[in-house]
Structures are given as structure tokens and as C-alpha cells.
């Protein structure tokens, strides 16, 4: 694996191979996201030793969207402890779309922290007495993982808020069942903000490398997340991070991952590296078409499927 990663054109060759793949659609339900350049394509890898490989449009920034969910899950665990979070949000994949309005029968909890309902519930726990303080909490959270304060996309945030009635409905449904408490509009506002920070693929790969490296950012050497909670986050990413594609992903790629509706996918190879891919054309499940192909190719070449762990030794 190491020698492959060292070879000069390793990522360029993969990028080249999938440039011909132009299927998929830009998301229309957040109008601002449909302005992305469909041809944009970038891949980055950051190893736990801090080595960076990148190819393609690495200067293209996109909103983090659902890839914020594992980070906000970690924040909720660190701030409120495992028991409270487990009482609030389940651990089961939905087998349904990321914005499914279904809650778990009986408990009315959201199924898991990686779908919108679960992330909305956990967004109600972001520390800070007012919106500005909670915005700072989010900035600090992202800074710990990517080593700098990310920019914020005001247009995407406004667009998502304006057209966010589906998420809003979910918020009120959970309020009705007392799964979340507080002002739904404020919670939705915080949720839209957490989705609207700007990253590139190298930022994604660095988030992945931090999660792969015991929670310590390999470039800044700062601890981004208490290692006590790493397994909580990575296991839920593994079973739920790719929504209703999670089973096939586990079978074909075999690492914890998280996708976002702006076209990013973050992958974590525990103990080894983080991977970030960006291409905004999405399949019907809201996952990047090229992103999935690139990860399948990388899993073959680098043999990082965690169930083929003999290859990692
Ligand atoms: N902000 C998006 C939404 O709430 C996040 C979904 C995603 O990235 N899959 O719909």
C-alpha cells in the first residue's frame, strides 16, 4: 500500500479513469447546490503520518453538508456523554433515504445520527446560549479537524433554510414526541449552519485521517475528539454513513464513510488514512456517482477493506 501511495501519478490515474463517468444529477431541492460545476472532480488522501496526496480540482470548495454529521455526533458525545445520546438517537440503519421522516417504532427516536432526523436531534445539543456562540462552537469543532477555521457559505445556508420544510417537519414531529426539546426553528437554523461550512477534498481527507489516527489531527498534532468516542462514531458511519447504500458500500468498499449531498464522500481507513472525494453529480440515493466508483477502485488497489485486514499487516 505504502509504495503505491508513494508513486507520483497514483491519484491522477484514478481521476483520469473516471472522468468519462458523467451520469447523475445535481441536487435541486437546495437550489443553491444546483449551481455547482458538474464536471468538478477531486481526490485527496492524508495518511496518519501526515503525508498528503491530491489530484484534480483540489481548490474547489463545497459545503460539507451531511459530512458534518459524524463530527456533530462526536461533539454531542463529548458534551453530554454516551448514555444521553443513546437514549436520544438509535444505532440502526434506516434502509431508507437520508431525509426519511420515519422514527423508530415505540421510542420515536431517530434511527441513527447519520440521517437528517438524528442529526437534527443532536443539533439541539450544540453548546452555546445564543446562535452566535453556537456558530463559534461549530467553527471550533471544524477547526480541530481541519487545522483552520473554514469559510461559511451564506447563500447555501439561506437556500437550505428557505427550502427546508422537510427537515422542519421532522423537527416538529420529534418535538411532538419529546425526542428533542427547544425551539425547532433555532435547531433547524443551527443544523443548516453546520451543513454550510466550506471544505475541499483535502480537508475531508484530513478529517478522515484524524478519525483514523485516534482522534488526533496528524498535521497539527491536536486532539480533535476524545478517543473514548471514536468507535461510537466510526461504527455508526460504517453502518449508516452511506444511507440506503450502506450495505453495498460495506460489501464493496468496507470502510467507515460519510457522504454529503453537495457531492463529497469522506472515508476512514482506521490506523492508516483518510480519503476525500468530490464530484457533485449524485445518484438517486444522494451519493456522488464518481465518488462511489473512486472508493471502489481505491479499495481494490489499496486493499483497505477492513474485512481483508490481512492486507493491512
Ligand atoms: N443539508 C442536507 C439536508 O438536510 C444534508 C443532507 C445530505 O448531505 N445528505 O438535506
Amino acid at each position: 500500500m505504502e509504495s503505491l501511495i508513494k508513486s507520483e501519478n497514483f491519484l491522477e490515474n484514478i481521476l483520469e479513469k473516471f472522468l468519462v463517468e458523467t451520469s447523475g444529477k445535481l441536487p435541486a431541492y437546495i437550489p443553491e447546490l444546483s449551481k455547482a460545476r458538474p464536471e468538478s472532480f477531486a481526490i485527496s488522501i492524508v495518511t496518519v503520518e501526515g503525508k498528503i496526496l491530491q489530484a484534480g480540482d483540489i481548490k474547489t470548495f463545497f459545503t460539507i453538508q451531511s459530512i458534518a454529521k459524524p463530527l456533530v455526533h462526536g461533539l454531542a458525545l463529548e458534551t453530554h456523554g454516551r448514555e444521553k445520546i443513546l437514549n436520544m438517537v438509535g444505532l440502526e440503519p434506516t434502509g431508507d433515504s437520508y431525509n426519511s421522516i420515519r422514527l423508530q417504532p415505540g421510542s420515536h427516536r431517530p434511527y441513527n445520527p447519520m440521517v437528517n432526523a438524528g442529526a437534527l436531534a443532536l443539533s439541539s445539543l450544540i453548546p452555546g446560549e445564543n446562535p452566535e456562540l453556537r456558530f463559534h462552537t461549530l467553527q471550533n469543532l471544524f477547526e480541530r479537524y481541519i487545522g483552520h477555521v473554514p469559510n461559511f457559505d451564506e447563500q447555501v445556508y439561506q437556500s437550505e433554510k428557505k427550502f427546508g420544510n422537510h427537515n422542519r417537519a421532522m423537527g416538529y414531529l420529534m418535538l411532538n414526541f419529546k425526542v428533542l426539546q427547544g425551539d425547532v426553528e433555532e435547531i433547524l437554523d443551527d443544523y443548516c449552519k453546520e451543513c454550510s461550512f466550506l471544505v475541499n477534498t483535502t480537508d475531508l481527507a484530513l478529517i478522515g485521517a484524524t478519525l483514523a489516527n485516534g482522534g488526533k489531527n496528524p498535521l497539527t498534532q491536536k486532539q480533535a475528539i476524545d478517543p473514548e468516542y471514536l468507535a461510537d462514531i466510526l461504527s455508526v458511519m460504517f453502518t449508516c454513513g452511506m444511507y440506503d447504500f450502506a450495505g453495498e458500500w460495506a460489501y464493496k468498499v468496507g470502510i467507515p464513510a460519510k457522504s454529503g449531498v453537495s457531492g463529497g464522500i469522506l472515508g476512514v481507513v482506521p490506523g492508516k488514512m483518510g480519503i476525500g472525494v468530490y464530484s457533485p453529480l449524485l445518484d438517486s440515493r444522494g451519493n456522488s456517482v464518481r465518488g462511489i466508483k473512486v472508493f471502489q477502485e481505491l479499495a481494490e488497489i489499496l486493499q483497505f477493506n477492513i474485512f481483508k485486514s490481512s492486507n493491512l499487516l
Side-chain angles (χ1 to χ4, degrees):
M1 186 191 284
E2 273 72 19
S3 60
L4 266 170
I5 286 186
K6 274 184 202 135
S7 73
E8 278 281 292
N9 298 325
F10 168 61
L11 288 185
E12 277 81 3
N13 293 342
I14 296 177
L15 202 95
E16 187 101 344
K17 177 167 179 182
F18 295 110
L19 270 178
V20 290
E21 176 58 72
T22 54
S23 62
K25 287 201 175 91
L26 292 170
Y29 79 102
I30 303 176
E32 206 51 38
L33 290 184
S34 64
K35 295 182 183 165
R37 278 177 51 242
E39 62 277 16
S40 296
F41 194 13
I43 313 175
S44 299
I45 290 180
V46 178
T47 70
V48 293
E49 293 85 22
K51 184 175 169 57
I52 301 173
L53 277 94
Q54 40 194 14
D57 300 320
I58 47 156
K59 296 211 171 109
T60 298
F61 283 80
F62 48 92
T63 49
I64 191 165
Q65 296 298 332
S66 280
I67 302 173
K69 290 177 168 74
L71 280 53
V72 172
H73 181 208
L75 177 70
L77 285 162
E78 277 188 328
T79 320
H80 297 273
R82 187 172 285 128
E83 203 184 324
K84 174 161 175 160
I85 303 309
L86 285 176
N87 278 332
M88 201 167 173
V89 182
L91 294 172
E92 299 305 330
T94 58
D96 209 344
S97 66
Y98 60 85
N99 61 359
S100 169
I101 206 151
R102 259 185 336 125
L103 298 171
Q104 286 190 316
S107 69
H108 302 298
R109 289 180 310 177
Y111 275 79
N112 67 69
M114 297 297 117
V115 291
N116 287 9
L120 263 174
L122 296 184
S123 297
S124 72
L125 302 178
I126 295 170
E129 270 163 35
N130 58 49
E132 288 72 35
L133 289 175
R134 291 194 294 276
F135 186 80
H136 280 294
T137 302
L138 288 171
Q139 278 184 320
N140 291 340
L141 173 69
F142 293 121
E143 184 184 9
R144 290 205 291 277
Y145 284 90
I146 65 178
H148 62 270
V149 176
N151 287 325
F152 182 73
D153 192 323
E154 183 69 28
Q155 278 77 32
V156 171
Y157 156 65
Q158 294 292 352
S159 183
E160 172 147 5
K161 225 179 128 170
K162 184 165 172 196
F163 297 94
N165 283 334
H166 194 104
N167 287 336
R168 184 170 281 110
M170 244 158 5
Y172 281 104
L173 189 64
M174 290 191 286
L175 183 72
N176 173 65
F177 288 122
K178 300 191 174 50
V179 173
L180 60 76
Q181 263 138 33
D183 181 328
V184 172
E185 297 303 322
E186 277 196 8
I187 296 166
L188 193 74
D189 188 65
D190 290 341
Y191 169 81
C192 293
K193 283 178 184 154
E194 84 192 32
C195 294
S196 301
F197 282 89
L198 286 161
V199 288
N200 66 1
T201 49
T202 306
D203 292 330
L204 289 188
L206 189 49
I207 295 172
T210 301
L211 292 169
N213 188 40
K216 189 191 267 190
N217 180 314
L219 298 185
T220 64
Q221 295 301 326
K222 288 198 182 135
Q223 197 69 35
I225 170 82
D226 185 340
E228 157 86 15
Y229 296 116
L230 269 181
D232 302 60
I233 301 169
L234 292 174
S235 58
V236 174
M237 281 174 75
F238 186 70
T239 51
C240 312
M242 300 298 289
Y243 314 120
D244 39 343
F245 189 68
E248 203 168 323
W249 179 273
Y251 188 85
K252 291 186 175 160
V253 183
I255 54 167
K258 186 74 202 80
S259 69
V261 79
S262 56
I265 303 181
L266 156 74
V268 182
V269 186
K272 294 276 173 189
M273 68 182 85
I275 303 165
V277 181
Y278 172 65
S279 170
L281 293 174
L282 307 179
D283 64 17
S284 59
R285 294 161 165 130
N287 295 325
S288 168
V289 176
R290 279 178 180 161
I292 288 174
K293 297 210 164 188
V294 167
F295 270 96
Q296 285 177 353
E297 179 83 358
L298 284 171
E300 280 300 313
I301 299 175
L302 298 177
Q303 292 287 302
F304 56 49
N305 185 322
I306 56 175
F307 300 106
K308 297 179 183 169
S309 56
S310 59
N311 295 311
L312 294 175
L313 301 176

